[in-house]
Amino acid sequence: MIDDIAQRLHDTALFLETHRALWEQRPFVGLPVPWEKDWPELSKSLRHISPDQLEKVENDPVAFLAKSAVAPELSETLMRLSDVPVLPGARVSRIARQRGVDERKGQQIAHFVPVMADRFPMGVARWVDWCAGKGHLGVTVHDRFNHPVTCVEINPDLVVQGNRAMQEANRKVVFVAADVLSKPLSAVLSRDTGVVALHACGHLNSRLFELAIEHRPAFLAVVPCCYQRIDGMHFEPLSTAGRHTGLTFTRHQLRLPALDEVKTTASKRQFRKREMAFRQGMDLLLRQATGQDAYTPLGKIPPMIVRGSFEKFCRFAAQNKGLPLPRRIDWSAAEQAGWTRQHLVSALSISRQLFRRVLEIWLFLDRVAYLEENGYQVTYGTFCPREITPRNLMLLATASEVY
């Protein structure tokens, strides 16, 4: 199977590199975007998206591209490279709702556990919940299989609270305080151990895989996320196959998969649009004041400032960053210009969002290849519908010693 994964990594890397201009360039930096010269029909199609259509297109940009028929070969390749199987056992189970678990996390756990239950080997005698938080997944695994569970968590308060709750409930679940990036964990990751990790971010899941190669736990069930959370500014593939492709990413580019907002609330979407519109309006004022057609980063702006008026936002940013403003400003017109530009920037950003799933799958398969290259047998696919979480790629790895 490793040869198949290596070939897919190669094919996907070639595709991403060939179309780098479409997903690398950020429209908010400057308009028109350079790729528009080479893709005039795509540019025209995106520029004509109405505000009412935009949210639907953002939720499924590949479907929009296929329907628009402006780049059929591109859409066909995107769909082919985005295709992954549904994992056996991917069904919702009847799991008792734990106290303090929000509905979304509860649904994810209810889909995660049946998939894992269908695959883990007989050699597993205990479990580790990796970067466990409040331990909701670990508790569910304990209750399902009646095996001891160790919840590894960096937050000491959650460790204290978790141990107290487990003692009161008489469960064989123990919370251990540990920074998994620096602390040796040989006592936790032994050969009779199964490890579960639901949305362990970036370097936290890659650290798990590195430790798995060293300590050989029998089984891993992992759903990665937040690939941009890495040390340093550039991504280094874990696998030999990944490194051989020569594909590189900056930390900022690794944020692309996280742009999928299918589960974001309407209020959060509106706040994000407001902030973007204010930033674009301020950007236009800065270009006017300086006479330079260049983007100026504003850094973080407090939410309370974003919720205020556009004028207050601009004056705060100017004072905080030492930036000039034009002497005379029609604030109403400047704000409207920001909203107009925000819509155009968002529409042209669809070119980037077309590639978010393909890029995510490449990063995910790099982890699959790394485990296979080091003696794990790996099955992968989706464990739940995208509507429950867009980060629904799961790998199930069994050590060579037990299969």
Side-chain angles (χ1 to χ4, degrees):
M1 186 175 176
I2 183 59
D3 291 339
D4 295 337
I5 298 295
Q7 186 63 51
R8 184 162 181 177
L9 284 169
H10 173 271
D11 293 346
T12 304
L14 180 61
F15 175 73
L16 288 170
E17 194 62 54
T18 301
H19 298 87
R20 182 176 282 272
L22 286 171
W23 57 267
E24 184 177 55
Q25 296 163 355
R26 297 170 289 169
F28 68 80
V29 172
L31 296 174
V33 191
W35 62 258
E36 292 185 81
K37 294 179 181 179
D38 298 321
W39 297 82
E41 291 300 317
L42 178 60
S43 170
K44 181 179 178 181
S45 180
L46 295 179
R47 282 176 172 268
H48 282 81
I49 294 174
S50 71
D52 291 338
Q53 293 175 313
L54 183 57
E55 184 174 319
K56 183 177 181 180
V57 174
E58 287 175 330
N59 280 340
D60 198 347
V62 177
F64 161 79
L65 184 65
K67 186 177 181 181
S68 66
V70 298
E73 291 185 6
L74 178 61
S75 63
E76 289 171 8
T77 307
L78 284 166
M79 286 188 286
R80 176 173 58 82
L81 294 178
S82 298
D83 184 48
V84 291
V86 177
L87 281 166
R91 62 187 183 278
V92 64
S93 65
R94 294 181 177 274
I95 291 176
R97 179 81 174 272
Q98 295 178 47
R99 185 177 181 180
V101 184
D102 64 44
E103 181 178 359
R104 183 181 178 188
K105 178 59 70 174
Q107 289 179 334
Q108 293 169 15
I109 292 172
H111 283 78
F112 182 105
V113 172
V115 174
M116 181 201 73
D118 280 4
R119 297 294 301 182
F120 79 87
M122 296 297 293
V124 173
R126 58 196 189 91
W127 295 91
V128 169
D129 186 353
W130 190 255
C131 303
K134 295 181 179 180
H136 299 309
L137 176 59
V139 169
T140 303
V141 170
H142 168 271
D143 291 352
R144 174 70 179 267
F145 305 112
N146 197 31
H147 289 166
V149 175
T150 300
C151 294
V152 179
E153 170 56 37
I154 193 172
N155 187 324
D157 292 334
L158 292 181
V159 170
V160 171
Q161 295 168 17
N163 280 325
R164 183 185 302 120
M166 294 304 100
Q167 290 172 4
E168 292 174 354
N170 197 29
R171 285 186 168 108
K172 294 179 290 185
V173 179
V174 175
F175 282 72
V176 174
D179 178 355
V180 300
L181 298 178
S182 60
K183 183 175 180 178
L185 293 165
S186 56
V188 174
L189 299 176
S190 58
R191 297 198 174 200
D192 65 347
T193 300
V195 184
V196 293
L198 177 54
H199 293 157
C201 294
H203 53 309
L204 300 179
N205 68 67
S206 59
R207 174 62 171 163
L208 168 59
F209 300 142
E210 291 169 353
L211 290 171
I213 303 310
E214 181 180 354
H215 300 297
R216 311 302 295 178
F219 180 71
L220 307 170
V222 182
V223 178
C225 75
C226 300
Y227 294 94
Q228 74 274 15
R229 295 188 180 179
I230 59 174
D231 294 327
M233 295 303 296
H234 295 275
F235 168 76
E236 292 289 338
L238 292 178
S239 69
T240 300
R243 290 193 295 273
H244 281 171
T245 68
L247 191 61
T248 60
F249 303 104
T250 65
R251 185 164 62 186
H252 181 83
Q253 290 162 357
L254 294 177
R255 292 177 54 86
L256 187 55
L259 295 178
D260 193 339
E261 294 187 318
V262 67
K263 295 301 292 184
T264 300
T265 64
S267 61
K268 288 182 178 179
R269 283 180 182 269
Q270 188 56 39
F271 179 85
R272 181 179 65 85
K273 290 178 181 178
R274 181 183 182 87
E275 182 174 10
M276 288 175 61
F278 281 14
R279 286 178 180 270
Q280 287 299 309
M282 177 64 173
D283 183 60
L284 292 172
L285 290 175
L286 287 171
R287 293 174 196 249
Q288 178 184 339
T290 63
Q292 298 178 357
D293 190 19
Y295 175 71
T296 304
L298 299 181
K300 291 185 177 181
I301 305 291
M304 63 177 294
I305 301 298
V306 179
R307 294 188 180 98
S309 69
F310 174 65
E311 179 179 355
K312 182 179 179 181
F313 176 94
C314 292
R315 294 197 183 281
F316 175 89
Q319 182 178 5
N320 198 46
K321 291 289 185 177
L323 300 171
L325 287 172
R327 289 187 177 182
R328 295 182 179 180
I329 300 173
D330 181 336
W331 289 106
S332 178
E335 180 178 352
Q336 183 57 50
W339 280 100
T340 300
R341 190 176 175 90
Q342 178 272 331
H343 171 71
L344 182 56
V345 164
S346 295
L348 290 173
S349 293
I350 297 300
S351 73
R352 302 187 69 229
Q353 298 194 44
L354 288 167
F355 294 84
R356 66 193 181 202
R357 185 62 163 179
V358 172
L359 193 153
E360 178 183 15
I361 289 173
W362 192 94
L363 295 166
F364 175 78
L365 291 179
D366 173 55
R367 286 154 165 77
V368 172
Y370 177 67
L371 290 172
E372 289 199 335
E373 289 169 356
N374 287 278
Y376 276 85
Q377 185 183 66
V378 185
T379 301
Y380 70 89
T382 60
F383 78 101
C384 72
R386 174 175 171 270
E387 290 73 23
I388 291 176
T389 174
R391 308 283 75 76
N392 63 355
L393 296 172
M394 182 179 189
L395 65 84
L396 303 151
T398 304
S400 57
E401 295 85 347
V402 295
Y403 66 75

